Amino acid sequence: MPSQLHFGEDDFLRCRFAVSPLWETQEAVRTLKRPDRHGYHVPWLRRIRTAAAGLDLTPLWLLMPRRGHSPDWLGPPPIGPAAGFDEEITAVRGADPDAARDDTARSLACTPGALESARGRAWLADPARMVRELADALEEAWRVLVEPEWPRLRALLEADVAFHSRRLAEVGLGTLLPELDARLSWDGRTLTLPLHGEYARDLGGQGLVLMPSVFSWPDVITGFDPPWQPTVVYPARGIAGLWAEPADRTPQALVRLLGPNRAAVLTALDDPATTTTLAHRLRLAPSSVSAHLTVLRDAGLLTARRYGHQVLYERTPLGMALASGG
């Protein structure tokens, strides 16, 4: 059965985008146990294979049932649009033990035998210790699996937010929501999602957090029971090229025409991006990227538009033709 989120008048004013390193860490851990998610992430899986073998992820996996509830306290909605992992894990460590116990018990009940297991009984008997142990496991997973790749991941996620923020300004929320993923539908007041199990919630003036994710692909996820703010997590744009190195994606004819770095900048602009985003993506100095962007813009291959405090660069039709090898 589909799930539905019902909007009131105030909810339209309280929708926001967010990026969460804590969420990506949770979903990276889940991806290791989900072969159906491996398709786009094979290069990452190869890179982290040895390091991941040294982690004990069993406690986290126990609270990640394929069907059912995962504890909200262990992965709450993002604090803000650009919260860092340290800020988010501090919030996890500050979870109320009694509330965490109830939330965890609900999750354990989704896995046969988990509630009666030695680990499950120990957690429920000492929830304060459980909070510490699971927060420690999540932080170690971040340091090993995600933090080394975070500049690349963050660049992709921020590019998604920039693109969809512009679309929101151009077409409005009702048109944007189905564009986030073809499985979402909108009837003017209700967002319908293709989830397992029937779920309905009135947003009640809290609005909605819209969060792109790399490791959640190919799933669309919603949840967070009260008092958490409702959140919809959708696959970020550009995942197919996430792990490709610039040299692998840049046509050699373009390299001969523009030089390797300038060609890489043009090729990397599959989505509008800032100088900082491109610098992280290409592992170049921001000053170098800025100089290349200026040359490409003056040549008519890029346009630059200001959105708030950011300047986003995107390819012109001529730039698109050159980047594709046409």
Side-chain angles (χ1 to χ4, degrees):
M1 295 291 292
S3 296
Q4 296 183 325
L5 298 174
H6 304 293
F7 284 66
E9 292 294 339
D10 291 341
D11 296 308
F12 291 96
L13 305 177
R14 294 189 174 98
C15 292
R16 63 184 177 92
F17 286 96
V19 169
S20 171
L22 176 66
W23 177 272
E24 292 304 321
T25 301
Q26 289 246 26
E27 294 306 301
V29 171
R30 195 186 301 266
T31 294
L32 292 178
K33 288 283 282 185
R34 292 270 305 270
D36 58 308
R37 285 188 175 187
H38 289 183
Y40 288 133
H41 301 306
V42 170
W44 171 75
L45 290 164
R46 289 174 180 153
R47 282 211 287 273
I48 57 89
R49 181 183 297 133
T50 300
L55 295 175
D56 180 11
L57 301 175
T58 306
L60 296 172
W61 282 331
L62 189 61
L63 298 176
M64 295 178 175
R66 183 66 182 267
R67 299 283 182 267
H69 178 71
S70 294
D72 290 341
W73 73 267
L74 195 55
I79 299 168
F85 181 85
D86 290 343
E87 184 180 4
E88 291 189 303
I89 199 66
T90 296
V92 172
R93 294 187 184 281
D96 175 71
D98 291 335
R101 182 190 186 281
D102 294 342
D103 199 8
T104 300
R106 179 183 169 194
S107 180
L108 290 170
C110 297
T111 300
L115 270 174
E116 295 77 26
S117 68
R119 176 170 274 135
R121 292 197 307 271
W123 280 346
L124 300 185
D126 190 350
R129 181 177 178 180
M130 173 193 70
V131 169
R132 292 194 301 272
E133 288 180 354
L134 288 170
D136 286 346
L138 196 54
E139 183 163 7
E140 187 176 11
W142 155 257
R143 302 299 177 198
V144 172
L145 303 178
V146 179
E147 186 179 28
E149 305 291 351
W150 183 240
R152 180 191 296 244
L153 299 174
R154 182 178 58 195
L156 183 80
L157 296 169
E158 289 179 348
D160 179 283
V161 170
F163 176 84
H164 285 118
S165 296
R166 185 178 67 177
R167 288 295 293 160
L168 177 62
E170 291 172 344
V171 302
L173 185 65
T175 299
L176 172 70
L177 289 171
E179 289 185 359
L180 297 178
D181 191 277
R183 293 166 290 184
L184 304 180
S185 62
W186 173 255
D187 69 0
R189 287 287 182 179
T190 298
L191 178 64
T192 300
L193 307 99
L195 303 178
H196 296 279
E198 189 171 2
Y199 175 92
R201 180 172 176 183
D202 290 319
L203 299 186
Q206 287 186 295
L208 186 67
V209 178
L210 300 171
M211 188 161 67
S213 175
V214 168
F215 289 112
S216 296
W217 177 91
D219 299 326
V220 175
I221 302 170
T222 189
F224 299 114
D225 293 332
W228 305 108
Q229 186 175 12
T231 301
V232 170
V233 183
Y234 60 91
R237 288 166 50 89
I239 293 175
L242 173 62
W243 303 112
E245 296 299 330
D248 298 333
R249 303 175 56 235
T250 306
Q252 287 305 303
L254 192 62
V255 171
R256 291 193 296 272
L257 178 66
L258 300 177
N261 288 343
R262 198 164 294 162
V265 169
L266 184 64
T267 305
L269 281 168
D270 290 328
D271 297 307
T274 64
T275 301
T276 301
T277 295
L278 288 168
H280 281 307
R281 188 179 300 172
L282 300 173
R283 301 175 187 176
L284 296 173
S287 58
S288 176
V289 171
S290 178
H292 293 317
L293 288 168
T294 298
V295 172
L296 293 169
R297 183 187 59 191
D298 291 346
L301 304 182
L302 302 179
T303 61
R305 299 182 185 180
R306 178 172 291 279
Y307 294 93
H309 298 296
Q310 294 185 322
V311 176
L312 295 179
Y313 293 87
E314 57 186 311
R315 295 190 296 239
T316 63
L318 177 58
M320 293 177 189
L322 285 174
S324 66

